[in-house]
Amino acid sequence: MKRVMLYFGSFNPVHKGHIALAEYAVTQDLCDEVVLVVSPRSPYKEAAELAPEMDRFEMAEIACAASEYPDKIKPSAIEFLLPKPSYTIDTLRYLQQNFGSEMQFSILMGSDQIARLDGWKEYEKILEYPVYVYPRRGEPAAGFEGRITVLENAPLQDFSSTDVRERIGRGEDIGGMLDEGVAAYIRRKGLWSPAVRIMTLTAQLAADPENTALYIERGKLHYRMGEWGPALNDFNSVLRIDAEHVEAQQFAQMVQEILEFRYKDIYNP
């Protein structure tokens, strides 16, 4: 009987930490195959920055194919076919009913997830399966002692998909976080780009027009993109709300100096 370890997640996007954990599970002979079960939408997460499900699946395909064990680490779109929102126990039931005669299932999850497992649908039923827990920084694998296996020596994930998305949104380098094929896919599709992040921030500001942190973030993005007018507007918006905001003062001054230099350079040679 094939031992299949199910690694559930939104993989938004899949990164090197995910694949390193899957490779570790295979290397340690914890399973015959690791399956990255790409969730269409987690009922426990916000969907605001969730990339389209097929984009996330295709990125998972690329990352798995580039792994050390491409024949043993694979993605699955099974949850795309099941009722939404996707609950782990419902997927487990479906897999057990349809493939349980030929596969033995286990689950791989992070210590941050095990800490909140008692809030999941029918979590006691989930614990009837072998559950392997890998460490997350600042998230001890506490609770359910004797019912889970903590992988103390598993590679520690120093960054998350959220960190990757934020770096992309700020236009920063993500080379050390992603497989190059995944990074190329993100660039080609424009996922989580500064322009997309600006659109998201604009929508958030429409609902919360006094939020200075949102104006600052959007202003910085405009600044990095050389969009001086929109950047100055955002920093001035902060100063209208909080005239003593130091960061907004500094950025507004820098933008004004840039504009003054350009005006002088173009019109007063």
Side-chain angles (χ1 to χ4, degrees), residues 42-105:
S42 168
Y44 307 107
K45 291 185 178 181
E46 294 293 331
E49 293 191 355
L50 199 61
E53 58 190 40
M54 285 310 301
D55 283 332
R56 290 183 288 114
F57 178 78
E58 289 185 36
M59 286 186 284
E61 272 193 318
I62 293 168
C64 290
S67 73
E68 188 176 348
Y69 306 106
D71 58 329
K72 297 181 178 181
I73 301 175
K74 303 172 183 177
S76 170
I78 186 63
E79 290 197 337
F80 298 173
L81 308 176
L82 299 178
K84 299 178 181 61
S86 302
Y87 290 97
T88 298
I89 187 59
D90 294 337
T91 305
L92 287 169
R93 280 203 183 98
Y94 176 87
L95 292 173
Q96 190 65 44
Q97 290 169 2
N98 289 275
F99 305 101
S101 62
E102 55 195 83
M103 297 180 183
Q104 181 179 17
F105 298 107

Side-chain angles (χ1 to χ4, degrees), residues 6-267:
L6 304 171
Y7 189 2
F8 293 88
S10 55
F11 301 107
N12 188 46
V14 62
H15 55 66
K16 288 184 176 181
H18 294 133
I19 299 301
L21 286 163
E23 291 173 340
Y24 173 85
V26 172
T27 300
Q28 297 298 309
D29 194 33
L30 301 177
C31 59
D32 301 313
E33 186 173 288
V34 178
V35 176
L36 277 62
V37 182
V38 183
S39 173
R41 180 172 68 83
S42 168
Y44 307 107
K45 291 185 178 181
E46 294 293 331
E49 293 191 355
L50 199 61
E53 58 190 40
M54 285 310 301
D55 283 332
R56 290 183 288 114
F57 178 78
E58 289 185 36
M59 286 186 284
E61 272 193 318
I62 293 168
C64 290
S67 73
E68 188 176 348
Y69 306 106
D71 58 329
K72 297 181 178 181
I73 301 175
K74 303 172 183 177
S76 170
I78 186 63
E79 290 197 337
F80 298 173
L81 308 176
L82 299 178
K84 299 178 181 61
S86 302
Y87 290 97
T88 298
I89 187 59
D90 294 337
T91 305
L92 287 169
R93 280 203 183 98
Y94 176 87
L95 292 173
Q96 190 65 44
Q97 290 169 2
N98 289 275
F99 305 101
S101 62
E102 55 195 83
M103 297 180 183
Q104 181 179 17
F105 298 107
S106 62
I107 303 167
L108 178 64
M109 65 171 61
S111 56
D112 56 330
Q113 293 173 304
I114 200 68
R116 296 185 284 275
L117 185 64
D118 58 3
W120 291 22
K121 178 182 178 181
E122 298 183 51
Y123 74 94
E124 289 284 354
K125 294 290 185 182
I126 295 174
L127 289 168
E128 293 178 3
Y129 292 82
V131 176
Y132 295 91
V133 179
Y134 59 85
R136 294 294 302 270
R137 194 174 299 282
E139 298 277 0
F144 306 109
E145 286 78 6
R147 304 178 70 182
I148 62 173
T149 301
V150 179
L151 303 176
E152 299 285 0
N153 297 318
L156 182 65
Q157 293 193 80
D158 286 324
F159 55 86
S160 66
S161 293
T162 300
D163 296 325
V164 174
R165 294 194 305 273
E166 289 178 350
R167 278 179 169 267
I168 294 170
R170 293 192 297 265
E172 297 174 1
D173 178 58
I174 41 97
M177 296 177 164
L178 303 179
D179 169 76
E180 177 51 37
V182 174
Y185 185 97
I186 290 171
R187 288 193 298 268
R188 185 168 69 253
K189 301 282 288 206
L191 299 174
W192 309 294
S193 67
V196 171
R197 181 59 182 161
I198 285 172
M199 290 174 60
T200 300
L201 290 167
T202 300
Q204 291 174 337
L205 280 165
D208 187 8
E210 299 297 304
N211 192 322
T212 57
L214 297 178
Y215 281 115
I216 287 290
E217 184 179 351
R218 191 175 69 175
K220 286 181 178 179
L221 287 170
H222 284 306
Y223 184 89
R224 292 191 186 99
M225 296 170 71
E227 298 170 348
W228 312 119
L232 185 58
N233 287 340
D234 279 339
F235 299 133
N236 282 337
S237 293
V238 174
L239 295 173
R240 282 194 292 272
I241 298 168
D242 177 7
E244 304 302 318
H245 197 290
V246 175
E247 190 173 22
Q249 290 175 343
Q250 293 172 340
F251 269 100
Q253 182 177 350
M254 286 190 293
V255 174
Q256 287 170 342
E257 290 174 355
I258 290 170
L259 291 174
E260 288 171 3
F261 174 80
R262 289 195 164 199
Y263 177 81
K264 180 179 180 181
D265 186 55
I266 295 172
Y267 298 106

